[in-house]
Amino acid sequence: MEVSSPQSVGLRRDLEVLRELASEESLRRGGLGVVRIAERLGREKSQVSRALRALEAEGMVERDPRTRTYQLGWALYTLAARGVETRLVRAAATWLRGLAEQTGHTVRLCVLIGGQVLTLAVLAPGQTLYQDSSAEAEAGVAVTETAAGPALLLDWPPDSLEQLGTADELAERVDRVRSRGYYAHIDGSGAGRSGVAAPVRDFRGIVLAAVEVASPDVPPDGAVELEPVQDVVAAVRAAAAGLSDDLGHDSRTPARR
């Protein structure tokens, strides 16, 4: 019989505490105290208290000084988000590579964080996929300055758009994505973010990311001249749909509104 080391036993106990803080009861009550966690786990209060202090020191849990209850900490959410991003880039690699070869343009995988469009990965034709570490990727780009922006806002309620720009203008752009399945953007600043983007949905039907093809010859969305790049539009939509399928999205299921 395999015997667990003291370190693995301690890790397992810490994970049990984290699971309790992620439980339905904890979410409903806004956190759990030491006594309640000990009761649920059938463990000594002193043991649970030590585990919580260690997890708090690492930012994995946070303690409310008023109620003395604990919740999952931001360090844990950040770690989870990085894991999701890494898995997303890995899942998207084949689709991005095929899209770059098919269109002959640079392809980006973008997400929306803090109201800004961040680029997770970039792939140029004939080059290797890499995760973007440029200043632009770190700082993010306004949703109004990229094709990916409106595609990433599909799940946002209209009254929340005003914090990102002119609400009516953004709502109009989002409606175009909703009705056409993509958005075409021309960048008048010369920064090179003209292109076409389509949303990527996860197994819940929630927009998780957007696939964007940077194409300097893309006319504004809605223009008659868009026809010359319809092949690009079709390729972007197909890649976004394929990646969505890989993430468990069922296209037959209505998107979340």
Side-chain angles (χ1 to χ4, degrees):
M1 182 178 66
E2 183 179 351
V3 179
S4 300
S5 68
Q7 291 85 353
S8 63
V9 170
L11 175 60
R12 185 172 66 249
R13 288 175 175 173
D14 288 348
L15 290 174
E16 288 174 348
V17 171
L18 291 175
R19 291 192 187 98
E20 290 302 320
L21 293 179
S23 68
E24 182 179 345
E25 179 181 342
S26 178
L27 296 176
R28 185 176 66 250
R29 297 174 58 177
L32 296 175
V34 174
V35 173
R36 182 56 183 151
I37 295 174
E39 289 175 350
R40 286 175 61 96
L41 291 175
R43 286 161 54 181
E44 294 292 332
K45 290 187 293 183
S46 59
Q47 188 182 69
V48 171
S49 181
R50 285 195 299 271
L52 285 167
R53 285 199 299 270
L55 290 169
E56 184 181 17
E58 297 298 327
M60 296 298 174
V61 303
E62 296 175 354
R63 180 175 180 269
D64 186 326
R66 183 177 58 84
T67 63
R68 297 184 179 180
T69 58
Y70 287 86
Q71 295 179 324
L72 296 177
W74 279 109
L76 184 62
Y77 286 115
T78 300
L79 189 63
R82 288 176 179 172
V84 170
E85 290 174 3
T86 299
R87 293 187 64 184
L88 179 59
V89 171
R90 188 181 301 122
T94 300
W95 292 104
L96 297 181
R97 188 174 297 110
L99 188 57
E101 292 175 357
Q102 183 177 355
T103 63
H105 294 296
T106 297
V107 178
R108 295 184 177 92
L109 180 67
C110 303
V111 294
L112 189 67
I113 298 180
Q116 297 282 304
V117 177
L118 275 71
T119 301
L120 289 187
V122 179
L123 182 65
Q127 295 185 356
T128 303
L129 178 75
Y130 68 93
Q131 290 187 267
D132 198 355
S133 58
S134 65
E136 176 186 284
E138 292 295 329
V141 180
V143 293
T144 55
E145 296 177 3
T146 72
L152 291 166
L153 293 173
L154 278 180
D155 294 332
W156 282 52
D159 57 0
S160 298
L161 297 175
E162 60 185 11
Q163 60 184 289
L164 302 178
T166 304
D168 291 342
E169 179 186 358
L170 282 175
E172 182 181 352
R173 295 186 183 188
V174 171
D175 284 342
R176 290 179 185 173
V177 182
R178 189 168 288 121
S179 62
R180 301 175 185 179
Y182 70 92
Y183 188 78
H185 173 76
I186 185 166
D187 184 4
S189 69
R193 286 307 292 255
S194 296
V196 177
V200 174
R201 295 185 181 274
D202 66 7
F203 66 95
R204 301 162 296 177
I206 296 174
V207 173
L208 185 66
V211 172
E212 178 184 275
V213 169
S215 180
D217 54 354
V218 171
D221 195 5
V224 177
E225 310 85 61
L226 189 62
E227 285 195 10
V229 292
Q230 283 298 344
D231 288 347
V232 173
V233 170
V236 172
R237 293 189 63 187
L243 177 53
S244 296
D245 288 342
D246 287 351
L247 296 174
H249 175 60
D250 185 349
S251 59
R252 296 169 298 179
T253 302
R256 194 190 75 165
R257 295 291 179 89

